[in-house]
Amino acid sequence: MADALIAITVLWGFVFIYAVMATMDFGAGFWSMVYINREKTRATNIANRYLSPTWEVTNTFIVALVVAVYSLFPTAAYNLGTILLIPGSIILLLLALRSAFLVFSNIATEYKKPLTYISGIAGIIIPGLLISVLPITHGKFVDYGDGFANLNLGRLFSSPNVYAFIGFAICSTLFLSSLLLADYSKTAGEMDAYRVYLRDGRILGPISLIFAFLIMFTLQNEAEWLYERMMDDLPLLLISVAFFLIIGVGLYAPSIFQKGVMGMPRLSVIAATLQYLIASYVYGKAHLPYIIYPNVTIESAFTDPNSFRAVFITYIVGFAILFPGFIYFWSLFMHDKKYLRQKG
């Protein structure tokens, strides 16, 4: 059980890292589309500068996530592959479409606007589809027969809880990306774009919180076992909500570093990341030991212990090599004044 717990912790770590990076990435693509005709604010230019070096890096984490599932929990991978055949295929198609159109929008400049619209729309649909995997694993939408697991699409798309999750994913994507782009704009000295993204963050923050409450409200009726376990960690959930107040301080308080400028978006980015980390910990802990409720547990789906140890050592070595590179990349990206202030 100890090995299986370590393995699921590694897997959940990949999920969280990808979730945060991907929401900011997908959101930036959407904002690039929204503000493409508002050249004076330079909001699209800021979004494109963020997208240019980061979307390729983000995609490496989804590869690591899929490899981790197949290498650490092969039985769960088989069940998930069967259940998620339709939504998974749509997600892969949209990811390929978005990646291709992002590349073409920078090459075929005469078609830049329609390509940006397509990649932006695809990018905002993907988070909603990705998060739908979570309510699917709650078990209510999975039918078992003749030794096979099948996804009941009728029950899935008539569930208020699923739509609460989807709404939360889309709002969180736009909220987190607006916070990061506000911080990025401020660092780049693009104050018109900064004010635009700061305004967006102020609007989307409360909406995201409402969807979070809707998830808990609908979860009580559709996955009571999970709701009750999450309520066991109510103090942590309250701490997560308290971080939202810190986000508000970052959005509305005057900057302590720049006189006459409202907002401290970096404080909001850090607080939001911690808020989502705490909430995801509570959700993940409550979900244990089930990967797919009630038939697939971390113990029943776990790989051979010897294989796990070999894979785990490989992951440690790989991250020891790659993680400093990611940190260096991010520091260059956020602090390279020449890149930040470029006008193209």
Side-chain angles (χ1 to χ4, degrees):
M1 184 66 177
D3 284 348
L5 197 57
I6 293 171
I8 199 66
T9 302
V10 170
L11 185 60
W12 197 248
F14 282 141
V15 170
F16 180 76
I17 292 170
Y18 178 73
V20 172
M21 292 187 67
T23 53
M24 294 176 178
D25 177 39
F26 293 138
F30 183 80
W31 292 126
S32 174
M33 177 195 74
V34 169
Y35 295 120
I36 195 168
N37 292 317
R38 294 178 58 180
E39 296 181 5
K40 288 185 178 180
T41 65
R42 297 181 61 78
T44 287
N45 182 265
I46 283 289
N48 286 336
R49 273 189 249 164
Y50 174 80
L51 276 171
S52 183
T54 57
W55 68 272
E56 301 97 329
V57 176
T58 303
N59 285 339
T60 62
F61 279 94
I62 198 168
V63 174
L65 178 58
V66 173
V67 171
V69 172
Y70 273 88
S71 59
L72 299 176
F73 299 98
T75 305
Y78 172 77
N79 283 277
L80 286 170
T82 304
I83 295 168
L84 300 176
L85 181 62
I86 294 176
S89 298
I90 296 172
I91 289 168
L92 287 175
L93 179 63
L94 289 173
L95 280 171
L97 186 72
R98 178 178 183 267
S99 297
F101 278 50
L102 275 175
V103 173
F104 293 144
S105 66
N106 291 312
I107 298 174
T109 52
E110 65 271 26
Y111 301 109
K112 186 176 182 66
K113 284 190 177 182
L115 292 173
T116 300
Y117 279 118
I118 294 171
S119 62
I121 293 169
I124 205 61
I125 294 172
I126 292 170
L129 291 174
L130 283 171
I131 205 170
S132 68
V133 174
L134 296 182
I136 288 172
T137 64
H138 298 168
K140 183 180 178 180
F141 315 111
V142 181
D143 296 326
Y144 293 91
D146 300 324
F148 294 98
N150 297 294
L151 180 63
N152 190 313
L153 293 174
R155 285 205 301 269
L156 179 70
F157 289 112
S158 60
S159 166
N161 186 239
V162 171
Y163 290 109
F165 268 102
I166 291 173
F168 176 73
I170 293 173
C171 287
S172 293
T173 295
L174 298 178
F175 177 51
L176 287 174
S177 59
S178 65
L179 293 181
L180 185 70
L181 290 173
D183 181 39
Y184 193 57
S185 302
K186 190 177 182 183
T187 305
E190 298 283 0
M191 300 312 292
D192 288 336
Y194 168 68
R195 283 185 282 271
V196 166
Y197 288 124
L198 191 69
R199 178 205 64 199
D200 293 334
R202 289 170 174 173
I203 294 170
L204 288 160
I207 297 174
S208 299
L209 187 63
I210 290 170
F211 272 108
F213 283 120
L214 283 175
I215 287 175
M216 295 302 296
F217 179 75
T218 55
L219 197 65
Q220 187 174 6
N221 297 321
E222 298 201 18
E224 189 177 0
W225 65 273
L226 184 61
Y227 174 82
E228 290 177 352
R229 290 181 175 200
M230 290 183 72
M231 285 297 100
D232 290 340
D233 283 316
L234 182 59
L236 286 177
L237 289 174
L238 293 176
I239 291 172
S240 177
V241 174
F243 270 104
F244 185 80
L245 300 177
I246 299 175
I247 296 171
V249 171
L251 289 173
Y252 286 96
S255 174
I256 60 175
F257 301 106
Q258 290 179 263
K259 290 183 178 180
V261 176
M262 295 299 295
M264 294 177 284
R266 188 157 301 178
L267 173 64
S268 295
V269 170
I270 294 170
T273 303
L274 292 174
Q275 178 190 34
Y276 281 73
L277 178 62
I278 294 170
S280 67
Y281 168 77
V282 173
Y283 174 86
K285 181 186 174 186
H287 209 290
L288 289 175
Y290 305 105
I291 295 178
I292 305 172
Y293 183 84
N295 292 337
V296 183
T297 66
I298 60 173
E299 194 67 30
S300 66
F302 191 51
T303 188
D304 175 72
N306 293 324
S307 298
F308 161 70
R309 293 184 184 97
V311 170
F312 186 61
I313 291 171
T314 303
Y315 276 126
I316 291 174
V317 173
F319 265 85
I321 296 171
L322 292 175
F323 194 70
F326 283 125
I327 297 296
Y328 181 62
F329 162 80
W330 189 258
S331 65
L332 284 177
F333 171 58
M334 289 299 291
H335 297 103
D336 187 337
K337 298 299 182 182
K338 183 178 180 182
Y339 180 75
L340 285 169
R341 300 182 187 280
Q342 65 178 325
K343 300 297 181 184

